[in-house]
Short mmCIF file of all heavy atoms in Angstrom, two decimals:
data_model
loop_
_atom_site.label_atom_id
_atom_site.label_comp_id
_atom_site.label_asym_id
_atom_site.label_seq_id
_atom_site.Cartn_x
_atom_site.Cartn_y
_atom_site.Cartn_z
N ASN A 2 144.20 88.94 60.56
CA ASN A 2 143.14 88.96 59.55
C ASN A 2 142.07 90.00 59.85
O ASN A 2 141.46 90.55 58.93
CB ASN A 2 142.51 87.57 59.44
CG ASN A 2 141.61 87.42 58.24
OD1 ASN A 2 140.40 87.53 58.36
ND2 ASN A 2 142.20 87.20 57.08
N GLY A 3 141.84 90.30 61.11
CA GLY A 3 140.87 91.35 61.45
C GLY A 3 141.34 92.74 61.09
O GLY A 3 140.52 93.66 60.96
N LEU A 4 142.65 92.89 60.94
CA LEU A 4 143.23 94.21 60.64
C LEU A 4 143.60 94.30 59.17
O LEU A 4 144.77 94.39 58.80
CB LEU A 4 144.45 94.46 61.53
CG LEU A 4 144.16 94.58 63.03
CD1 LEU A 4 145.44 94.65 63.83
CD2 LEU A 4 143.27 95.79 63.32
N VAL A 5 142.59 94.27 58.31
CA VAL A 5 142.76 94.48 56.88
C VAL A 5 142.00 95.74 56.51
O VAL A 5 140.88 95.97 56.97
CB VAL A 5 142.24 93.27 56.06
CG1 VAL A 5 142.33 93.55 54.57
CG2 VAL A 5 143.05 92.02 56.41
N TYR A 6 142.61 96.58 55.68
CA TYR A 6 142.10 97.93 55.48
C TYR A 6 141.42 98.15 54.13
O TYR A 6 140.71 99.13 53.95
CB TYR A 6 143.24 98.94 55.67
CG TYR A 6 143.94 98.72 56.98
CD1 TYR A 6 145.30 98.39 57.03
CD2 TYR A 6 143.24 98.78 58.18
CE1 TYR A 6 145.93 98.16 58.23
CE2 TYR A 6 143.87 98.55 59.39
CZ TYR A 6 145.21 98.24 59.41
OH TYR A 6 145.83 97.99 60.61
N GLU A 7 141.66 97.26 53.19
CA GLU A 7 140.95 97.35 51.91
C GLU A 7 141.07 96.02 51.20
O GLU A 7 141.86 95.17 51.56
CB GLU A 7 141.50 98.46 51.01
CG GLU A 7 142.97 98.34 50.65
CD GLU A 7 143.83 99.27 51.47
OE1 GLU A 7 143.38 100.37 51.78
OE2 GLU A 7 144.95 98.87 51.83
N GLY A 8 140.23 95.83 50.18
CA GLY A 8 140.26 94.60 49.41
C GLY A 8 139.29 93.56 49.93
O GLY A 8 138.50 93.81 50.85
N ASP A 9 139.35 92.40 49.35
CA ASP A 9 138.46 91.30 49.67
C ASP A 9 138.97 90.58 50.91
O ASP A 9 139.95 89.83 50.86
CB ASP A 9 138.38 90.33 48.48
CG ASP A 9 137.49 89.12 48.75
OD1 ASP A 9 136.63 89.24 49.63
OD2 ASP A 9 137.67 88.09 48.08
N VAL A 10 138.33 90.82 52.04
CA VAL A 10 138.75 90.21 53.30
C VAL A 10 138.07 88.87 53.45
O VAL A 10 136.84 88.78 53.48
CB VAL A 10 138.41 91.11 54.50
CG1 VAL A 10 138.93 90.47 55.79
CG2 VAL A 10 138.99 92.50 54.31
N THR A 11 138.85 87.82 53.50
CA THR A 11 138.28 86.49 53.64
C THR A 11 139.18 85.66 54.53
O THR A 11 140.16 86.13 55.09
CB THR A 11 138.09 85.83 52.26
OG1 THR A 11 137.31 84.63 52.43
CG2 THR A 11 139.42 85.49 51.61
N THR A 12 138.85 84.40 54.68
CA THR A 12 139.65 83.45 55.43
C THR A 12 139.95 82.27 54.53
O THR A 12 139.18 81.95 53.61
CB THR A 12 138.91 82.97 56.69
OG1 THR A 12 139.61 81.84 57.26
CG2 THR A 12 137.48 82.54 56.38
N ALA A 13 141.06 81.61 54.78
CA ALA A 13 141.41 80.43 54.00
C ALA A 13 140.34 79.35 54.13
O ALA A 13 140.20 78.49 53.25
CB ALA A 13 142.76 79.88 54.45
N LEU A 14 139.56 79.39 55.20
CA LEU A 14 138.50 78.40 55.39
C LEU A 14 137.37 78.57 54.39
O LEU A 14 136.55 77.67 54.22
CB LEU A 14 137.95 78.49 56.81
CG LEU A 14 138.97 78.14 57.91
CD1 LEU A 14 138.44 78.53 59.27
CD2 LEU A 14 139.31 76.65 57.86
N ALA A 15 137.31 79.74 53.73
CA ALA A 15 136.34 79.93 52.65
C ALA A 15 136.81 79.27 51.36
O ALA A 15 136.03 79.16 50.40
CB ALA A 15 136.12 81.42 52.41
N ILE A 16 138.08 78.85 51.34
CA ILE A 16 138.68 78.28 50.13
C ILE A 16 138.86 76.78 50.25
O ILE A 16 138.65 76.04 49.29
CB ILE A 16 140.03 78.98 49.87
CG1 ILE A 16 139.80 80.46 49.59
CG2 ILE A 16 140.79 78.31 48.73
CD1 ILE A 16 141.05 81.30 49.64
N THR A 17 139.25 76.33 51.44
CA THR A 17 139.51 74.91 51.63
C THR A 17 139.20 74.50 53.06
O THR A 17 139.46 75.26 54.01
CB THR A 17 140.98 74.56 51.30
OG1 THR A 17 141.22 73.18 51.63
CG2 THR A 17 141.94 75.43 52.08
N ASP A 18 138.68 73.30 53.23
CA ASP A 18 138.46 72.72 54.55
C ASP A 18 139.67 71.96 55.05
O ASP A 18 139.68 71.46 56.18
CB ASP A 18 137.26 71.77 54.53
CG ASP A 18 135.92 72.50 54.46
OD1 ASP A 18 135.86 73.64 54.93
OD2 ASP A 18 134.96 71.91 53.92
N GLU A 19 140.70 71.86 54.21
CA GLU A 19 141.86 71.04 54.53
C GLU A 19 142.98 71.82 55.20
O GLU A 19 143.97 71.23 55.64
CB GLU A 19 142.39 70.37 53.26
CG GLU A 19 141.41 69.40 52.62
CD GLU A 19 141.04 68.26 53.55
OE1 GLU A 19 141.96 67.70 54.19
OE2 GLU A 19 139.85 67.96 53.68
N ALA A 20 142.85 73.13 55.29
CA ALA A 20 143.90 73.94 55.89
C ALA A 20 143.82 73.93 57.41
O ALA A 20 142.75 73.75 58.00
CB ALA A 20 143.82 75.37 55.38
N PHE A 21 144.97 74.15 58.04
CA PHE A 21 145.06 74.42 59.47
C PHE A 21 145.14 75.94 59.60
O PHE A 21 146.12 76.55 59.14
CB PHE A 21 146.31 73.78 60.07
CG PHE A 21 146.24 72.29 60.18
CD1 PHE A 21 146.32 71.48 59.04
CD2 PHE A 21 146.10 71.67 61.41
CE1 PHE A 21 146.27 70.10 59.13
CE2 PHE A 21 146.05 70.29 61.51
CZ PHE A 21 146.13 69.50 60.38
N VAL A 22 144.15 76.55 60.21
CA VAL A 22 144.09 78.00 60.29
C VAL A 22 144.30 78.45 61.74
O VAL A 22 143.60 77.99 62.65
CB VAL A 22 142.74 78.53 59.76
CG1 VAL A 22 142.62 80.03 59.99
CG2 VAL A 22 142.63 78.22 58.26
N ILE A 23 145.29 79.33 61.91
CA ILE A 23 145.66 79.83 63.24
C ILE A 23 145.18 81.26 63.39
O ILE A 23 145.34 82.08 62.48
CB ILE A 23 147.20 79.78 63.42
CG1 ILE A 23 147.69 78.33 63.40
CG2 ILE A 23 147.63 80.47 64.70
CD1 ILE A 23 148.31 77.90 62.10
N ASN A 24 144.59 81.57 64.54
CA ASN A 24 144.17 82.94 64.81
C ASN A 24 144.36 83.23 66.29
O ASN A 24 144.74 82.35 67.06
CB ASN A 24 142.73 83.18 64.37
CG ASN A 24 142.49 84.61 63.91
OD1 ASN A 24 143.02 85.56 64.49
ND2 ASN A 24 141.70 84.79 62.86
N SER A 25 144.09 84.48 66.67
CA SER A 25 144.43 84.92 68.02
C SER A 25 143.55 86.10 68.41
O SER A 25 143.06 86.84 67.55
CB SER A 25 145.91 85.33 68.06
OG SER A 25 146.22 86.00 69.26
N PHE A 26 143.40 86.28 69.70
CA PHE A 26 142.72 87.47 70.22
C PHE A 26 143.71 88.61 70.49
O PHE A 26 143.32 89.67 70.96
CB PHE A 26 141.96 87.11 71.49
CG PHE A 26 140.76 86.25 71.25
CD1 PHE A 26 140.86 84.87 71.23
CD2 PHE A 26 139.52 86.83 71.00
CE1 PHE A 26 139.75 84.07 70.98
CE2 PHE A 26 138.41 86.04 70.75
CZ PHE A 26 138.52 84.67 70.73
N SER A 27 144.98 88.42 70.16
CA SER A 27 146.00 89.39 70.53
C SER A 27 145.95 90.68 69.73
O SER A 27 146.03 91.77 70.32
CB SER A 27 147.40 88.77 70.36
OG SER A 27 147.63 87.78 71.32
N LYS A 28 145.80 90.61 68.41
CA LYS A 28 146.04 91.78 67.57
C LYS A 28 144.76 92.56 67.30
O LYS A 28 144.64 93.72 67.70
CB LYS A 28 146.69 91.34 66.26
CG LYS A 28 147.90 90.43 66.44
CD LYS A 28 149.02 91.07 67.25
CE LYS A 28 150.22 90.13 67.33
NZ LYS A 28 151.36 90.72 68.05
N TYR A 29 143.79 91.97 66.63
CA TYR A 29 142.54 92.67 66.31
C TYR A 29 141.78 93.04 67.58
O TYR A 29 141.23 94.15 67.68
CB TYR A 29 141.69 91.78 65.41
CG TYR A 29 140.32 92.34 65.08
CD1 TYR A 29 140.18 93.56 64.41
CD2 TYR A 29 139.18 91.64 65.42
CE1 TYR A 29 138.92 94.06 64.10
CE2 TYR A 29 137.91 92.14 65.10
CZ TYR A 29 137.79 93.35 64.45
OH TYR A 29 136.55 93.84 64.14
N PHE A 30 141.78 92.15 68.55
CA PHE A 30 141.04 92.40 69.78
C PHE A 30 141.87 93.12 70.84
O PHE A 30 141.35 93.50 71.89
CB PHE A 30 140.51 91.08 70.35
CG PHE A 30 139.55 90.36 69.44
CD1 PHE A 30 139.98 89.36 68.59
CD2 PHE A 30 138.21 90.70 69.44
CE1 PHE A 30 139.09 88.70 67.76
CE2 PHE A 30 137.31 90.06 68.61
CZ PHE A 30 137.75 89.06 67.76
N GLY A 31 143.16 93.31 70.59
CA GLY A 31 144.02 94.05 71.52
C GLY A 31 144.20 93.35 72.86
O GLY A 31 144.17 93.99 73.90
N MET A 32 144.42 92.04 72.84
CA MET A 32 144.49 91.26 74.08
C MET A 32 145.77 90.43 74.13
O MET A 32 145.74 89.23 74.42
CB MET A 32 143.25 90.36 74.19
CG MET A 32 141.95 91.13 74.34
SD MET A 32 140.46 90.12 74.13
CE MET A 32 140.73 88.83 75.35
N THR A 33 146.91 91.06 73.89
CA THR A 33 148.17 90.32 73.79
C THR A 33 148.49 89.54 75.08
O THR A 33 148.83 88.36 75.04
CB THR A 33 149.32 91.26 73.46
OG1 THR A 33 149.29 92.38 74.36
CG2 THR A 33 149.20 91.78 72.03
N GLY A 34 148.42 90.20 76.21
CA GLY A 34 148.83 89.58 77.46
C GLY A 34 147.90 88.50 77.97
O GLY A 34 148.26 87.74 78.89
N TRP A 35 146.73 88.38 77.39
CA TRP A 35 145.79 87.35 77.82
C TRP A 35 146.20 85.97 77.31
O TRP A 35 145.73 84.96 77.83
CB TRP A 35 144.38 87.68 77.33
CG TRP A 35 143.82 88.91 77.96
CD1 TRP A 35 143.95 90.20 77.51
CD2 TRP A 35 143.06 88.99 79.17
NE1 TRP A 35 143.31 91.07 78.36
CE2 TRP A 35 142.75 90.34 79.39
CE3 TRP A 35 142.60 88.03 80.07
CZ2 TRP A 35 142.01 90.78 80.49
CZ3 TRP A 35 141.86 88.45 81.17
CH2 TRP A 35 141.58 89.81 81.37
#
């Protein structure tokens, strides 16, 4: 989600509190091995 290049960048949590949202420090933060 941090690596979006155009358009309306949002999170599913802005739409619903009922979702399970998964994220990581691997891609946008460049910390795969951590």
Side-chain angles (χ1 to χ4, degrees):
N2 192 261
L4 295 173
V5 176
Y6 308 119
E7 59 258 325
D9 179 23
V10 183
T11 190
T12 169
L14 296 168
I16 296 166
T17 174
D18 286 333
E19 296 300 315
F21 288 72
V22 174
I23 295 101
N24 211 321
S25 169
F26 289 89
S27 290
K28 310 300 183 177
Y29 176 60
F30 298 96
M32 295 168 55
T33 50
W35 294 89

